[in-house]
Amino acid sequence: MDSKTAIRIALDVMGGDHGPDVILAGADIALERHPDIQFSLFGREADVRPILERFPRVAERSTFRHCDVAIRMDDKPSQALRQGRNKSSMWLAIEAVKTGEAQVAVSAGNTGALMAMAKFCLRTMANIERPAIAAIWPTIRGESIVLDVGATIGADAQQLLDLSVMGAAMARALFHIERPTVGLLNIGVEEIKGQDEIREAGRLLKEGEIPNLDYRGFVEGTDLGKGTVDVVVTEGFTGNIALKTAEGTARQIASYLRAAMTRTWLARLGYILAKSAFDRLRDKMDPRKVNGGVFLGLNGVVIKSHGSSDAEGTAAAIDVAYAMAANGLLTKIETDLSEVYARMAVSSANVPPQAQDEAVS
Amino acid sequence: MDSKTAIRIALDVMGGDHGPDVILAGADIALERHPDIQFSLFGREADVRPILERFPRVAERSTFRHCDVAIRMDDKPSQALRQGRNKSSMWLAIEAVKTGEAQVAVSAGNTGALMAMAKFCLRTMANIERPAIAAIWPTIRGESIVLDVGATIGADAQQLLDLSVMGAAMARALFHIERPTVGLLNIGVEEIKGQDEIREAGRLLKEGEIPNLDYRGFVEGTDLGKGTVDVVVTEGFTGNIALKTAEGTARQIASYLRAAMTRTWLARLGYILAKSAFDRLRDKMDPRKVNGGVFLGLNGVVIKSHGSSDAEGTAAAIDVAYAMAANGLLTKIETDLSEVYARMAVSSANVPPQAQDEAVS
């Protein structure tokens, strides 16, 4: 996509813990960075209009559509679908992607409901059975992509291959790397190294010689923070545990640091002198800076912003949405997947007849 | 066990990346803290004797037995068993537990080999199919126990229940809590909450009303660092990924902190003033302080010390071994498990006949 063309982002203004205020403030920050964004806003008119007046820049670049229903943060997915289909701000934001009105949708609403609606409205891509959520993971080297972080529990070898291809396409779109490095998350004990499906996925990735990714083998939990590879692939249960364990560890260390720096007057003085360094550290560790889980495997791109995001966090999620749309993530995934599946069809057609017999027996 | 009785610890002096020097220095530190320890040392005489002379306190409290074979850090488990059974320092340390010569064995040798030998020599307990490794996890509140962190991939509901009982027994022995709180590690998305086996294990734990543990339901990755429960239970793949992700995140933040504190002269000055606070923080984050993976489910207790441990780390692992032996971990596990299995047998015998018919149909 030509970056000169405006990017239209569908925004669920009612999602998140803090409501329209924070969402629109975030949109305003994002517009400052990307003046070519246009928004399709969805929300309750009585709530949104008065706030929108405070953000004239956003108002000027937006269309607004009223909707009666707002999905609550504790609505169950089935409940949300029942009550919110065709009429909630969340649904309408997703539908704007389906109709082509917008290139990407952003919501800070609850993950389960958003995923259920996105699946129902957009459907999974050809060859993809189950969607994934990709997280942008801060590392010592910069950033990596980790997926799946919780959309789907369990994955067979083929699904791990699909995740690898989709994650690599996202890395190409986000980091502008031609052949992102990919690793499969595994444990390091020899001989019991990994479940069968991970070993089999490793074989497929190695032998597949997939043009748009550079498979580097197994990686361990410690490699996540190191940034050993651009894309770390795992099924959704383990990915979710890893993501939340890292978040928890970061918070734990921040709490140790706070306690240490306020314990003595010398430490407090040192803290004051080194304040800019601490601010820099806080910045590095700031979860708002890497906000935005990307739903992959659907016929449209949806970005999940953290429910607790403030305006900065919301802007970061909109930045990710912008990058995904401007760099044609969906087309990249579609092209890469169809190429991989075409290759696999050819290579299985090329198996000599006796080998096919053996496989059957 | 009466704490007045000496605790005898079998020590594989050849294990680890640094060799006998560090292991014996660690033993010396541990002896300072627990003067009633006696050691059964196993290693290559030519390597160990000269070093032992430098630690007269250890020499005085130890027996030494020469063995020709030392398991290498990169030996595969099968290879280690073939070459090291009945004659390596690792094997003989484990065997000393089997024969009753020592109450607990400690090795910093490679995990796969140590587990294979421990399984082969000690065998699993009655009712336990597969062993586990329990880690001591530093939290904001203190310490928790997390298991399994990598002995066995996958676990059914019954095995998760076994892990819960064994982990709780270890918490009783280590933290002196009467009814440790237990949580099952799970992911937080509603309606797809967890694999079937985790839900089923939750039901067993809730309905079992197990006297020596207080089941608190599901916990998430963020709860690990918070110390929400005393014992976090998960199967070995996820547990290993969580453990290594936390280690990696801690190292990542330490590297951010170092970079921030050396960037400007003001930050450097602040760092110097607050140095004692930073030392305290480093202490809190020091992985050596919580060294020692405990093998559970075998007819004997074996402690795995980190391969890269220095003398401090080795001493920490010996401390854990001491606590496990002095507080009768093995007896606690045996008693608790047999009580749980007896209850389960009674409750299934109490099922009314029509319900049994239904279960069959």
Side-chain angles (χ1 to χ4, degrees):
Chain A
M1 174 167 302
D2 184 10
S3 63
K4 292 277 177 283
T5 319
I7 301 291
R8 182 167 280 273
I9 297 174
L11 198 54
D12 168 13
V13 186
M14 306 308 289
D17 302 334
H18 306 302
D21 214 327
V22 154
I23 309 286
L24 292 175
D28 192 53
I29 297 170
L31 255 184
E32 211 169 311
R33 295 196 279 245
H34 310 289
D36 59 330
I37 296 179
Q38 296 181 338
F39 288 108
S40 295
L41 307 176
F42 300 91
R44 243 191 242 112
E45 181 138 28
D47 296 330
V48 177
R49 280 282 181 214
I51 299 165
L52 199 52
E53 278 169 24
R54 290 184 3 236
F55 298 100
R57 184 165 48 183
V58 177
E60 192 192 308
R61 308 278 303 168
S62 303
T63 58
F64 174 72
R65 187 159 151 204
H66 166 74
C67 17
D68 283 321
V69 181
I71 303 301
R72 282 179 304 264
M73 292 311 274
D74 56 353
D75 280 348
K76 291 198 172 162
S78 54
Q79 202 179 351
L81 260 179
R82 221 166 30 239
Q83 293 166 358
R85 184 145 66 98
N86 298 324
K87 53 189 171 191
S88 64
S89 58
M90 188 185 271
W91 176 276
L92 291 170
I94 297 166
E95 203 179 49
V97 173
K98 191 187 180 188
T99 61
E101 175 189 331
Q103 285 105 314
V104 54
V106 176
S107 174
N110 94 62
T111 310
L114 187 64
M115 181 51 93
M117 285 197 180
K119 248 155 76 173
F120 198 96
C121 181
L122 298 170
R123 305 282 162 188
T124 53
M125 285 176 162
N127 293 317
I128 299 290
E129 263 173 77
R130 303 187 298 179
I133 304 176
I136 302 163
W137 194 291
T139 75
I140 290 178
R141 289 180 175 194
E143 284 172 347
S144 296
I145 288 163
V146 179
L147 78 167
D148 174 21
V149 294
T152 304
I153 291 178
D156 61 23
Q158 184 61 52
Q159 286 160 340
L160 290 169
L161 177 68
D162 295 341
L163 290 173
S164 305
V165 173
M166 294 195 294
M170 182 173 153
R172 288 165 62 214
L174 195 62
F175 308 144
H176 306 287
I177 305 168
E178 233 172 272
R179 278 192 89 206
T181 54
V182 173
L184 290 170
L185 192 60
N186 203 341
I187 68 175
V189 183
E190 282 298 332
E191 269 181 50
I192 56 154
K193 208 168 215 164
Q195 295 133 314
D196 292 341
E197 54 271 27
I198 300 177
R199 275 199 297 261
E200 174 62 8
R203 199 188 59 75
L204 290 174
L205 281 163
K206 203 144 91 187
E207 293 174 6
E209 292 175 20
I210 299 163
N212 286 332
L213 67 84
D214 177 8
Y215 176 61
R216 293 290 178 90
F218 298 144
V219 294
E220 295 189 52
T222 43
D223 290 301
L224 287 164
K226 280 187 206 161
T228 308
V229 289
D230 300 316
V231 181
V232 176
V233 174
T234 185
E235 56 80 35
F237 187 87
T238 308
N240 186 274
I241 299 289
L243 180 70
K244 292 195 172 154
T245 301
E247 283 175 7
T249 305
R251 258 183 255 146
Q252 180 183 2
I253 295 172
S255 121
Y256 290 161
L257 190 59
R258 265 194 308 276
M261 288 303 137
T262 49
R263 228 177 61 92
T264 66
W265 65 268
L266 216 55
R268 268 190 229 117
L269 181 60
Y271 175 79
I272 290 163
L273 290 178
K275 189 154 183 326
S276 77
F278 279 108
D279 289 346
R280 208 178 138 78
L281 177 70
R282 188 172 303 123
D283 217 55
K284 271 272 194 195
M285 289 173 62
D286 189 347
R288 300 176 307 171
K289 294 288 160 101
V290 285
N291 183 27
V294 180
F295 290 7
L296 298 176
L298 302 168
N299 295 305
V301 181
V302 175
I303 310 291
K304 166 71 173 83
S305 173
H306 238 282
S308 62
S309 295
D310 61 4
E312 262 317 326
T314 306
I318 296 173
D319 286 349
V320 171
Y322 180 88
M324 296 296 99
N327 298 302
L329 172 67
L330 203 63
T331 316
K332 279 195 173 63
I333 293 179
E334 279 166 350
T335 313
D336 290 0
L337 276 178
S338 65
E339 190 169 326
V340 166
Y341 276 86
R343 271 160 173 263
M344 279 172 23
V346 169
S347 84
S348 74
N350 281 346
V351 176
Q354 68 271 30
Q356 284 186 352
D357 286 352
E358 277 164 29
V360 171
S361 71
Chain B
M1 174 168 303
D2 184 9
S3 64
K4 291 276 175 286
T5 320
I7 302 289
R8 181 166 280 274
I9 297 174
L11 197 55
D12 168 14
V13 187
M14 307 307 287
D17 302 335
H18 305 304
D21 213 326
V22 154
I23 308 289
L24 292 175
D28 193 55
I29 297 169
L31 255 184
E32 211 169 312
R33 298 197 276 246
H34 309 289
D36 59 329
I37 296 179
Q38 295 181 338
F39 289 107
S40 294
L41 306 176
F42 300 91
R44 242 191 243 112
E45 181 138 31
D47 296 331
V48 177
R49 280 283 181 214
I51 299 166
L52 199 52
E53 278 169 25
R54 289 182 5 233
F55 298 101
R57 181 165 52 184
V58 178
E60 192 192 307
R61 306 279 302 168
S62 303
T63 57
F64 174 72
R65 184 157 154 209
H66 166 74
C67 16
D68 283 321
V69 181
I71 302 301
R72 283 180 304 264
M73 292 309 274
D74 56 353
D75 280 348
K76 292 199 170 161
S78 54
Q79 200 179 352
L81 261 178
R82 221 166 31 240
Q83 293 166 359
R85 184 144 68 97
N86 298 325
K87 54 188 172 192
S88 63
S89 58
M90 187 185 274
W91 176 276
L92 292 169
I94 297 166
E95 203 179 48
V97 173
K98 190 187 181 185
T99 61
E101 174 190 330
Q103 286 105 314
V104 53
V106 177
S107 173
N110 94 62
T111 311
L114 187 64
M115 180 50 91
M117 285 195 179
K119 247 154 76 172
F120 199 95
C121 181
L122 299 170
R123 304 282 161 187
T124 52
M125 286 176 162
N127 292 319
I128 298 291
E129 263 173 76
R130 302 185 300 179
I133 304 175
I136 301 163
W137 194 291
T139 75
I140 289 178
R141 290 181 174 192
E143 284 172 348
S144 296
I145 288 163
V146 180
L147 77 166
D148 173 21
V149 294
T152 304
I153 291 177
D156 61 23
Q158 184 60 52
Q159 287 160 339
L160 289 170
L161 176 68
D162 295 341
L163 290 173
S164 305
V165 174
M166 295 196 294
M170 179 170 155
R172 289 166 60 215
L174 196 62
F175 308 143
H176 307 286
I177 305 168
E178 236 172 89
R179 276 192 91 205
T181 53
V182 174
L184 291 171
L185 192 59
N186 203 340
I187 67 174
V189 183
E190 281 299 334
E191 268 180 52
I192 57 155
K193 208 168 214 163
Q195 293 134 313
D196 291 343
E197 54 271 28
I198 300 177
R199 276 199 296 259
E200 173 64 10
R203 197 188 60 77
L204 291 174
L205 280 162
K206 203 144 91 188
E207 293 174 7
E209 292 175 20
I210 300 163
N212 286 331
L213 67 84
D214 176 9
Y215 176 60
R216 294 290 177 91
F218 298 145
V219 295
E220 295 190 50
T222 43
D223 291 301
L224 287 163
K226 281 187 206 161
T228 308
V229 288
D230 299 316
V231 182
V232 177
V233 174
T234 184
E235 56 81 35
F237 187 88
T238 307
N240 185 274
I241 298 288
L243 180 70
K244 292 196 173 154
T245 300
E247 284 175 7
T249 304
R251 258 182 254 147
Q252 178 183 2
I253 295 173
S255 121
Y256 290 162
L257 189 59
R258 265 194 309 275
M261 288 302 137
T262 50
R263 228 176 62 90
T264 65
W265 67 267
L266 216 56
R268 269 189 228 116
L269 181 60
Y271 174 79
I272 291 164
L273 290 179
K275 189 153 182 328
S276 77
F278 278 107
D279 289 346
R280 209 178 139 79
L281 177 70
R282 189 172 301 124
D283 218 54
K284 271 272 194 196
M285 289 173 62
D286 189 348
R288 300 175 307 172
K289 295 288 161 101
V290 285
N291 184 28
V294 180
F295 289 6
L296 298 175
L298 301 168
N299 294 305
V301 181
V302 175
I303 311 290
K304 165 70 174 81
S305 172
H306 238 281
S308 62
S309 295
D310 60 5
E312 260 319 325
T314 305
I318 295 172
D319 285 349
V320 172
Y322 180 87
M324 296 296 99
N327 298 303
L329 172 67
L330 203 62
T331 315
K332 280 195 171 65
I333 292 178
E334 279 166 351
T335 314
D336 290 0
L337 276 178
S338 67
E339 190 168 327
V340 166
Y341 276 85
R343 270 161 174 261
M344 278 174 21
V346 169
S347 85
S348 73
N350 281 345
V351 176
Q354 67 273 30
Q356 282 186 353
D357 287 350
E358 277 163 28
V360 171
S361 68

